[in-house]
């Protein structure tokens, strides 16, 4: 039974890794990086990004549960969110995506936290929807940090939910940092967590270095959960 469980875990890990963006992203005036470290249990974490004529779209999600089930839910979420990328209006896109995802989740009694953002590179405006994720932070060049409030419950938590979109301005030197709860879990309080992310982001030269520093906040030896981080920095 052990070897069967191991091979399922192996397959789940492969599914999860296949969901991550395969290509580096090159948006002029920005530095973008992401890192993912699966736990022994394999959860439903993933992030995805792709370039658009205006800048980039970013999706960050965590499907409830462990193993193959969570990995497959994550795969569905990624496919649905990619399919809405052509819709110019974020509210319409997220509305139709959340309905499609919720219909799929209904059969598995599951839910997924979701952060979806669209960057307009020229203006630095990030429009976003946060469905129960609540772990996106705006790290400002002056050394302050603001945790972006969640706009509602996870997708699939209850029917008929609508999520408002919000926006922030990334000024030169600012970063948008999104992490999974595998990072938050290490800290005693939200304040300790935001301070640590601020410190890890603020003192690094590149988005890749910042991602590495944030990942290091949750050492592999103690992390029970997947640990995922994305950093979008305006140069």
């Amino acid at each position: 039974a052990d070897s069967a469980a191991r091979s399922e875990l192996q397959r789940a890990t492969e599914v999860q890794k296949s969901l991550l963006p395969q290509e580096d992203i090159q948006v002029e005036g920005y530095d973008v990086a992401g890192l993912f470290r699966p736990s022994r249990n394999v959860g439903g974490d993933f992030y995805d990004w792709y370039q658009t004529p205006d800048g980039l779209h970013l999706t960050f999600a965590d499907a409830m549960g462990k193993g193959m089930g969570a990995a497959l839910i994550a795969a569905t979420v990624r496919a649905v969110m990619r399919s809405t990328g052509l819709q110019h209006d974020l509210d319409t896109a997220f509305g139709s995506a959340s309905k499609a995802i919720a219909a799929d989740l209904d059969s598995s009694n599951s839910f997924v936290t979701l952060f979806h953002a669209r960057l307009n590179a020229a203006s630095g405006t990030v429009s976003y929807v946060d469905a129960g994720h609540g772990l996106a932070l705006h790290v400002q060049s002056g050394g302050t940090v603001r945790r972006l409030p969640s706009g509602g419950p996870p997708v699939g938590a209850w029917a008929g939910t609508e999520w408002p979109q919000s926006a922030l301005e990334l000024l030169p030197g600012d970063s948008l940092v999104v992490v999974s709860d595998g990072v938050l879990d290490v800290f005693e309080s939200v304040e300790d967590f935001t301070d640590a992310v601020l410190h890890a982001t603020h003192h690094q030269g590149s988005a890749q270095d910042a991602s590495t520093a944030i990942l290091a906040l949750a050492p592999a030896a103690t992390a029970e959960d997947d640990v995922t981080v994305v950093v979008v920095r305006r140069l």
Side-chain angles (χ1 to χ4, degrees):
D2 257 10
S3 66
R6 260 204 309 278
S7 71
E8 159 149 18
L9 208 57
Q10 188 69 45
R11 280 207 305 282
T13 307
E14 281 161 15
V15 169
Q16 212 172 4
K17 287 200 164 141
S18 76
L19 303 177
L20 301 177
Q22 304 308 317
E23 67 282 350
D24 278 344
I25 200 157
Q26 305 291 331
V27 179
E28 197 177 336
Y30 293 82
D31 185 16
V32 182
L35 285 174
F36 165 71
R37 191 187 69 217
S39 70
R40 292 184 301 279
N41 309 320
V42 181
D45 276 22
F46 81 93
Y47 64 88
D48 187 32
W49 60 47
Y50 52 91
Q51 253 167 290
T52 63
D54 294 336
L56 77 102
H57 287 183
L58 166 68
T59 298
F60 196 108
D62 186 358
M64 175 76 185
K66 301 276 178 229
M68 202 60 178
L72 291 173
I73 290 168
T76 304
V77 171
R78 179 185 184 274
V80 170
M81 292 310 296
R82 280 227 161 194
S83 74
T84 62
L86 300 170
Q87 295 181 352
H88 288 301
D89 180 61
L90 177 57
D91 282 333
T92 311
F94 196 84
S96 58
S98 60
K99 283 189 182 69
I101 293 164
D104 272 341
L105 292 174
D106 213 24
S107 56
S108 59
N109 287 326
S110 192
F111 58 82
V112 62
T113 69
L114 197 56
F115 177 84
H116 180 67
R118 298 179 166 195
L119 165 70
N120 182 300
S123 67
T125 302
V126 178
S127 308
Y128 67 90
V129 175
D130 189 311
H133 190 70
L135 293 173
L137 302 108
H138 181 193
V139 178
Q140 290 163 307
S141 63
T144 53
V145 61
R146 183 172 71 93
R147 187 172 164 207
L148 306 181
S150 177
V155 177
W158 47 81
T161 306
E162 290 184 4
W163 292 267
Q165 65 168 293
S166 304
L168 63 98
E169 298 293 324
L170 281 184
L171 299 173
D174 285 6
S175 298
L176 170 67
V177 178
V178 194
V179 301
S180 63
D181 53 10
V183 180
L184 177 66
D185 291 346
V186 177
F187 294 93
E188 292 290 312
S189 71
V190 173
E191 286 74 22
D192 291 351
F193 157 73
T194 53
D195 285 351
V197 170
L198 169 64
H199 191 80
T201 311
H202 202 54
H203 297 286
Q204 301 300 332
S206 70
Q208 188 65 49
D209 290 346
S211 300
T212 304
I214 293 165
L215 205 64
L217 296 174
T222 54
E224 291 291 302
D225 205 352
D226 297 339
V227 177
T228 316
V229 56
V230 172
V231 176
V232 178
R233 175 174 286 172
R234 187 170 187 185
L235 300 172

